[in-house]
């Protein structure tokens, strides 16, 4: 790959952070991927300002002594969430080229967390559907009586929506989802069966 193709690759699909720094470690330019991750930086911004918890200036002598050594650095991203990258610094005359690739170990941890969160979301969604089904089942079995119910003042029959007079117990059984059992109140017991007045109703 020639130099022109390499620059095109860095500014295209490459998931690599690329910064061109001056001799004092200030950002002169960066590739499109770095702009997406870090946002647009003003020319002359110290590179350490892009980093998290990094206040010391770069020791370029160490970079020259170990040009292939990778440095794990945390980048402040535009999303507000830090990301770790493995950086290699190459000196080119008075310039320093910084190449950063994602920390695959951190990426794997993030992927594992995303899988776990997705599974938790699936479980919560399944539980929600189950609860909704149970609630709907309960609602389907709930019957309520509302409004004004016309009732005969003598025989206590009730006029239904079809203008038919139903017995009170039939009306309740059909619309209130209840079962009725026959009994007798104390007043009727005393009135109708005075000789059994001491018996329990």
């Amino acid at each position: 790959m020639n130099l022109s193709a390499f620059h095109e690759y860095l500014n295209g699909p490459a998931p690599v952070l690329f910064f061109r720094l001056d001799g004092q470690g200030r950002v002169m330019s960066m590739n499109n991927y770095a702009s997406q991750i870090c946002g647009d930086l003003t020319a002359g911004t110290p590179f350490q300002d892009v980093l998290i918890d990094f206040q010391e200036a770069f020791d370029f002598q160490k970079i020259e002594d170990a040009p292939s050594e990778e440095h794990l650095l945390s980048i402040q991203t535009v999303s507000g969430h830090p990301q770790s990258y493995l950086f290699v610094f190459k000196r080119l005359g008075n310039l320093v080229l910084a190449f950063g690739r994602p920390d695959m170990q951190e990426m794997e941890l993030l992927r594992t967390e995303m899988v776990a969160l997705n599974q938790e979301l699936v479980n919560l969604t399944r539980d929600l559907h189950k609860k909704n089904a149970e609630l709907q089942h309960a609602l389907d079995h709930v019957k309520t009586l509302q409004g004004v119910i016309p009732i005969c003042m003598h025989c206590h029959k009730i006029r239904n929506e079809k203008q038919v007079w139903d017995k009170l117990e039939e009306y309740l059984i059909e619309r209130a989802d209840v079962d009725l059992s026959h009994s007798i109140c104390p007043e009727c017991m005393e009135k109708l069966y005075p000789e059994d007045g001491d018996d329990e109703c």
Side-chain angles (χ1 to χ4, degrees):
M1 181 182 294
N2 58 36
L3 186 59
S4 176
F6 180 66
H7 278 290
E8 184 176 347
Y9 174 72
L10 282 179
N11 284 295
V16 176
L17 298 176
F18 171 67
F19 297 91
R20 191 161 60 97
L21 313 176
D22 65 12
Q24 283 73 46
R26 295 172 298 195
V27 177
M28 298 179 64
S29 63
M30 56 186 176
N31 66 347
N32 293 332
Y33 183 74
S35 296
Q36 294 173 9
I37 298 298
C38 304
D40 294 327
L41 300 177
T42 304
T45 299
F47 182 66
Q48 57 261 35
D49 289 355
V50 182
L51 308 178
I52 298 175
D53 298 330
F54 191 95
Q55 302 299 329
E56 299 177 1
F58 284 105
D59 187 342
F60 292 119
Q61 184 61 47
K62 290 184 178 179
I63 294 174
E64 290 179 326
D65 292 342
S68 299
E69 182 180 346
E70 290 187 317
H71 305 268
L72 181 61
L73 302 173
S74 293
I75 297 291
Q76 182 64 54
T77 66
V78 292
S79 66
H81 301 290
Q83 293 183 13
S84 296
Y85 287 83
L86 290 168
F87 274 89
V88 172
F89 298 91
K90 303 288 186 181
R91 178 173 286 280
L92 185 64
N94 293 327
L95 301 177
V96 174
L97 307 181
F99 301 88
R101 64 179 179 85
D103 178 13
M104 299 311 297
Q105 183 176 2
E106 182 184 55
M107 295 296 289
E108 181 61 25
L109 289 175
L110 289 174
R111 190 192 71 81
T112 302
E113 290 180 4
M114 289 298 295
V115 170
L117 287 174
N118 183 66
Q119 185 59 48
E120 184 177 354
L121 180 60
V122 169
N123 293 338
L124 289 174
T125 302
R126 182 170 55 245
D127 291 343
L128 180 60
H129 285 313
K130 181 180 178 181
K131 294 295 184 183
N132 285 340
E134 292 174 353
L135 178 59
Q136 187 60 51
H137 179 74
L139 290 175
D140 290 342
H141 288 77
V142 172
K143 296 183 179 180
T144 59
L145 298 177
Q146 296 179 341
V148 178
I149 300 175
I151 184 170
C152 176
M153 60 187 300
H154 293 289
C155 68
H156 298 151
K157 285 185 178 180
I158 295 177
R159 189 178 67 217
N160 63 26
E161 61 276 2
K162 297 180 181 179
Q163 305 304 311
V164 176
W165 291 89
D166 291 330
K167 291 182 179 180
L168 176 61
E169 55 267 29
E170 293 176 354
Y171 187 90
L172 291 176
I173 290 173
E174 181 179 350
R175 291 166 177 78
D177 198 15
V178 296
D179 292 324
L180 302 179
S181 63
H182 289 89
S183 184
I184 187 169
C185 70
E187 293 181 0
C188 290
M189 186 71 178
E190 183 179 354
K191 180 180 179 180
L192 299 175
Y193 308 101
E195 66 279 6
D196 298 326
D198 294 335
D199 295 342
E200 293 185 359
C201 299

